[in-house]
């Protein structure tokens, strides 16, 4: 094992870890909006297939 | 050389989990499912109250009595109880989503996100609270 490649590996690893920390500190607004939409659709039964189920068996 | 491959493997695993963490919030825990089903059951009772204007959506992600007169006097106790129960569930929902994602401090941001989306998705005729007070959608 050459010392240079060890250093390169450690640098890559620490960059990856730093990336982890940076992303998790900030609130993921887009992901939260997506999650909210999904939950609201479920709670209010706004899903398209729920609507067709309600409409279909009318007779 | 082996160490390099191992490192590359670890790095790729980390970035894969990062991509997932960025793309979606965890919302499929038993606690969240329980709150969701409690809320959808209650919604059957709340839907006519939204439509009549008895209740409205507040800008802080909660629900409030907007026009108690839309409900007969005898049923006002029940109206208040429904609103209180719904608000308990909503607060618990925001808290559980934050906790499920390892960031209890996100609960406030999650509440704000939901507040906006409840109002955006509300059907016409419902009362919602905006920056200039109550308005009918």
């Amino acid at each position: 094992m050459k010392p240079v490649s060890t250093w390169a590996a450690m640098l890559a690893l620490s960059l990856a870890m730093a990336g982890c920390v940076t992303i998790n500190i900030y609130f993921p607004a887009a992901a939260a909006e997506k999650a909210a939409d999904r939950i609201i659709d479920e709670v209010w039964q706004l899903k398209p297939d729920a609507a067709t189920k309600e409409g279909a068996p009318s007779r | 050389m082996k160490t390099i491959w191992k490192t590359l493997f670890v790095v790729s695993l980390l970035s894969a989990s990062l991509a997932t963490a960025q793309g979606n919030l965890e919302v499929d825990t038993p606690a969240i499912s329980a709150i969701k089903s409690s809320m959808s059951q209650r919604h059957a009772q709340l839907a006519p109250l939204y439509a009549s204007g008895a209740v409205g959506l507040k800008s802080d992600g909660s629900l409030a009595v907007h026009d108690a007169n839309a409900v007969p006097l005898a049923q006002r106790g029940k109206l208040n109880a429904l609103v209180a129960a719904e608000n308990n569930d909503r607060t618990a929902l925001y808290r559980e989503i934050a906790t499920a994602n390892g960031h209890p401090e996100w609960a406030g941001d999650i509440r704000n996100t939901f507040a906006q989306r409840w109002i955006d998705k509300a059907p016409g005729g419902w009362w919602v609270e905006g920056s200039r007070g109550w308005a009918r959608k």
Side-chain angles (χ1 to χ4, degrees), chain A residues 1 5 9 13 16 20 23-28 31-45, chain B residues 3-4 7 10 18 22-25 27-28 36 40 43 57 97 103 106 109-110 113-114 117-118 121-122 126:
Chain A
M1 185 88 213
S5 42
L13 191 63
C20 254
I23 281 164
N24 280 331
I25 283 173
Y26 297 107
F27 176 67
E33 201 163 295
K34 219 159 66 177
D37 281 358
R38 226 181 92 194
I39 290 175
I40 294 171
D41 285 350
E42 274 179 57
V43 170
W44 283 354
Q45 279 124 49
Chain B
T3 323
I4 290 202
T7 314
V10 170
L18 271 183
Q22 244 184 321
N24 285 302
L25 282 187
V27 289
D28 288 321
K36 272 195 304 194
S40 22
H43 186 66
L57 293 165
I97 296 174
H103 287 272
W106 285 353
D109 287 316
I110 289 171
T113 307
F114 268 83
R117 297 310 292 154
W118 289 119
K121 282 175 159 277
W126 290 20

Side-chain angles (χ1 to χ4, degrees), chain B residues 79-91:
Chain B
L79 169 73
N80 289 324
L82 271 174
V83 169
E86 174 72 8
N87 283 334
N88 278 341
D89 272 357
R90 287 187 178 199
T91 303

